Amino acid sequence: MKPFMDSNFLLQTETAQKLYHEHASKMPIIDYHCHLSPQMVAEDYKFRSLTEIWLGGDHYKWRAMRSNGVAERYCTGTDTTDWEKFEKWAETVPYTFRNPLYHWTHLELKTAFGIDTILNPQTAREIYDACTDKLVNDPNFTARGLMRHYNVETVCTTDDPVDSLEWHIKYKAEKAENDPQMIPAWRPDKAMAVENPQNFRAYIDKLSQVSGITINAFQDVVDALQKRHDFFEANGCKLSDHGIEEFYAEDYTEEEINNIFNKVYGGTQLSQEEILKYKSCMLIVFAEMDYASGWAQQFHYGAIRDNNTKMFRLLGPDTGFDSIGQFNTAKAMSKFFNRLATADKLTKTIIYNLNPADNEMVATMLGNFQDGTVAGKIQWGSGWWFLDQKNGMEKQMNALSLLGLLSRFVGMLTDSRSFLSYPRHEYFRRTLCNLLGNDVENGEIPASEMARLEQMVEDISYNNAKNYFNF
């Protein structure tokens, strides 16, 4: 029987162990998509307790706690103490066997705090006190300190076009030489969220204010967004990100889009056909901006968000009430990319699907639009959200291996709001090395090609992303 989470955790063969310990584990981290607070990085935030850094904003844990019968006040409430919330999480942990939360929890305790003790109700107080003491009293346990601890070289936050980027600017001016670089990433979802006319009008007015461009027509919106795009580029941005339910590729005319904008900006509810046309147009506008700047564009698609109306009204978005959606989006995806490729305006692109049923479709879609200008120009992102666990990552890498080039894969990201989430890179790297190690041991990859395999592991762990994004 193997011990739990020893140095060879997830590494089933000697080859896998060699690939991980001598190659993957030594590579720095490039976290090219996350939701960390730029302000917390810039201010080198000091956490008050293990609960704040570990449970605050973590909808993965909240979902598990709710499923375990824990009252909402211990998840998102304001009338309970940090210890009481942590105690409820500790009571839930023993029920998470075979859920990735069990592995993540103990990997984070071990790698951040040096704690090998299994978390359960009996050990909760000891672990809570020890970790909180380090967070409060050890000067290395700050936002930046944890990033340095995990050898983070670059982190890309997620930022709206109307954001001032003040914290990025402040951080760049003041950061120490050994601190990671923090780069903004352009997330313009609200600029095409025309479902609610009142909210859209408020956003466009804010865009007008920050860009200094008076907006009276659709072209003014494009001009204002371009000005903000230029501002982001001037402050180091090299990539965009789009959170969409599905791909949009409706046919439209310039006149139609002008009329649709006037209608929604004037406060009139749009038809579903008008919404889809507007979103289709905006995706093209964004993609052309990114191409002109040489940025990479990312598309996270396939989530049904805010399913529970009652809880959405109480807590707002990103609180653990989202799920995998089913969308027949293959033709629209193809049509969207084909429009850009035909116009020679398709930039480097990463696609993330939330529904594993789309795996092989996405893996084959990539090959349609590779053009030989950049190795791995069209990428399939690592298992995302509900799929960023061992099984999901293995399925993604197996499909990519069979239908594309795993060697050119840009690897893992955290997609997290937590400064303790960097072990997800380790989890991914161990999973990658185990897959490749098994192939060698099974005679499916020649042992004589170990040097190439070792380089492949280092590339997927770090080099490919560094070169792809020009960091």
Side-chain angles (χ1 to χ4, degrees):
M1 180 184 299
K2 289 190 65 175
F4 175 67
M5 203 168 282
D6 65 359
S7 63
N8 291 323
F9 176 58
L10 302 182
L11 304 173
Q12 298 171 332
T13 64
E14 290 185 9
T15 304
Q17 292 162 17
K18 183 176 187 294
L19 289 172
Y20 177 74
H21 292 301
E22 297 182 16
H23 299 279
S25 67
K26 298 180 179 180
M27 305 308 290
I29 287 175
I30 292 179
D31 199 28
Y32 55 87
H33 174 70
C34 75
H35 298 275
L36 292 179
S37 162
Q39 181 176 353
M40 293 175 78
V41 177
E43 294 183 336
D44 200 15
Y45 189 82
K46 192 78 173 169
F47 299 90
R48 70 174 182 268
S49 70
L50 182 55
T51 299
E52 182 187 18
I53 193 173
W54 222 19
L55 294 173
D58 192 338
H59 52 79
Y60 289 85
K61 292 187 178 76
W62 295 343
R63 284 172 70 95
M65 291 166 72
R66 292 170 187 140
S67 297
N68 201 43
V70 174
E72 188 63 35
R73 62 193 294 257
Y74 296 105
C75 300
T76 61
T78 58
D79 64 339
T80 52
T81 66
D82 283 0
W83 159 245
E84 289 172 325
K85 288 181 177 179
F86 183 81
E87 186 178 30
K88 293 298 183 182
W89 168 238
E91 291 173 4
T92 299
V93 168
Y95 293 90
T96 63
F97 288 160
R98 305 200 85 242
N99 185 299
L101 281 167
Y102 196 81
H103 285 168
W104 292 346
T105 291
H106 292 96
L107 200 58
E108 289 168 15
L109 285 174
K110 182 174 184 175
T111 60
F113 301 100
I115 291 177
D116 289 311
T117 305
I118 300 300
L119 178 59
N120 56 44
Q122 291 71 43
T123 62
R125 188 81 230 191
E126 172 192 352
I127 290 174
Y128 178 84
D129 289 345
C131 294
T132 297
D133 179 68
K134 287 187 177 181
L135 289 166
V136 172
N137 297 312
D138 190 324
N140 294 312
F141 281 79
T142 61
R144 294 191 208 179
L146 286 164
M147 296 168 81
R148 291 192 296 267
H149 172 74
Y150 282 114
N151 197 19
V152 178
E153 180 177 284
T154 301
V155 62
C156 297
T157 58
T158 303
D159 309 280
D160 192 279
V162 302
D163 196 298
S164 68
L165 301 184
E166 61 178 303
W167 297 109
H168 291 85
I169 296 168
K170 177 181 174 62
Y171 176 72
K172 186 176 181 180
E174 299 177 356
K175 81 178 188 71
E177 185 177 349
N178 63 337
D179 284 331
Q181 67 172 337
M182 180 171 65
I183 294 174
W186 166 269
R187 181 74 173 253
D189 295 354
K190 292 180 181 178
M192 66 179 199
V194 289
E195 294 85 350
N196 185 310
Q198 182 179 359
N199 291 347
F200 180 71
R201 173 72 184 245
Y203 181 80
I204 294 301
D205 288 347
K206 178 65 173 178
L207 175 63
S208 174
Q209 177 185 348
V210 299
S211 67
I213 293 178
T214 301
I215 296 178
N216 294 312
F218 177 70
Q219 185 57 49
D220 299 328
V221 175
V222 176
D223 292 343
L225 287 167
Q226 183 65 66
K227 189 170 181 180
R228 299 303 296 170
H229 199 276
D230 294 342
F231 172 72
F232 269 58
E233 184 172 12
N235 283 283
C237 185
K238 296 176 181 289
L239 66 166
S240 68
D241 179 63
H242 308 267
I244 53 179
E245 274 199 350
E246 55 187 316
F247 279 82
Y248 308 107
E250 300 297 313
D251 294 323
Y252 57 85
T253 66
E254 183 178 339
E255 182 180 6
E256 284 179 315
I257 298 302
N258 286 331
N259 290 336
I260 291 170
F261 172 76
N262 291 338
K263 183 176 178 180
V264 67
Y265 190 61
T268 301
Q269 186 69 44
L270 298 178
S271 67
Q272 184 62 20
E273 180 184 8
E274 290 170 327
I275 290 171
L276 293 177
K277 284 180 181 288
Y278 195 86
K279 289 180 180 291
S280 299
C281 175
M282 290 307 300
L283 279 187
I284 293 294
V285 168
F286 296 142
E288 290 180 345
M289 288 182 185
D290 291 349
Y291 175 82
S293 294
W295 292 5
Q297 58 184 355
Q298 303 174 89
F299 296 96
H300 289 82
Y301 87 93
I304 301 179
R305 299 177 185 270
D306 307 320
N307 292 270
N308 189 323
T309 302
K310 173 186 174 182
M311 298 308 293
F312 175 74
R313 289 172 178 167
L314 285 172
L315 304 175
D318 304 319
T319 50
F321 299 96
D322 310 312
S323 58
I324 293 172
Q326 290 182 316
F327 302 97
N328 187 12
T329 195
K331 286 188 176 180
M333 185 189 300
S334 174
K335 187 175 180 180
F336 170 66
F337 289 131
N338 191 50
R339 281 176 175 172
L340 295 168
T342 301
D344 291 322
K345 292 184 177 180
L346 179 57
T347 193
K348 292 178 287 188
T349 301
I350 307 177
I351 307 167
Y352 306 83
N353 59 292
L354 194 57
N355 193 329
D358 290 350
N359 280 1
E360 282 72 18
M361 180 274 286
V362 173
T364 56
M365 187 69 70
L366 309 180
N368 297 333
F369 300 102
Q370 307 287 11
D371 59 13
T373 60
V374 176
K377 177 178 177 179
I378 313 301
Q379 288 274 332
W380 181 16
S382 183
W384 166 51
W385 202 341
F386 296 110
L387 306 182
D388 66 350
Q389 26 71 12
K390 182 174 178 287
N391 185 55
M393 292 188 294
E394 287 178 341
K395 286 183 176 180
Q396 186 266 352
M397 286 190 280
N398 282 328
L400 180 56
S401 300
L402 293 171
L403 302 170
L405 294 180
L406 180 64
S407 298
R408 293 299 187 179
F409 180 31
V410 293
M412 190 55 174
L413 60 153
T414 64
D415 189 32
S416 175
R417 292 166 174 80
S418 173
F419 289 88
L420 289 182
S421 290
Y422 292 111
R424 293 186 190 181
H425 284 262
E426 176 179 337
Y427 202 71
F428 167 83
R429 292 175 183 184
R430 287 177 179 271
T431 302
L432 167 67
C433 292
N434 191 58
L435 282 177
L436 297 175
N438 284 341
D439 285 348
V440 173
E441 300 279 346
N442 292 333
E444 297 176 48
I445 292 177
S448 61
E449 290 294 309
M450 278 299 294
R452 171 70 200 103
L453 198 61
E454 291 162 358
Q455 185 63 58
M456 177 179 174
V457 166
E458 293 183 5
D459 287 346
I460 295 172
S461 298
Y462 169 76
N463 295 325
N464 286 348
K466 187 175 183 68
N467 294 331
Y468 187 79
F469 296 110
N470 297 318
F471 288 151

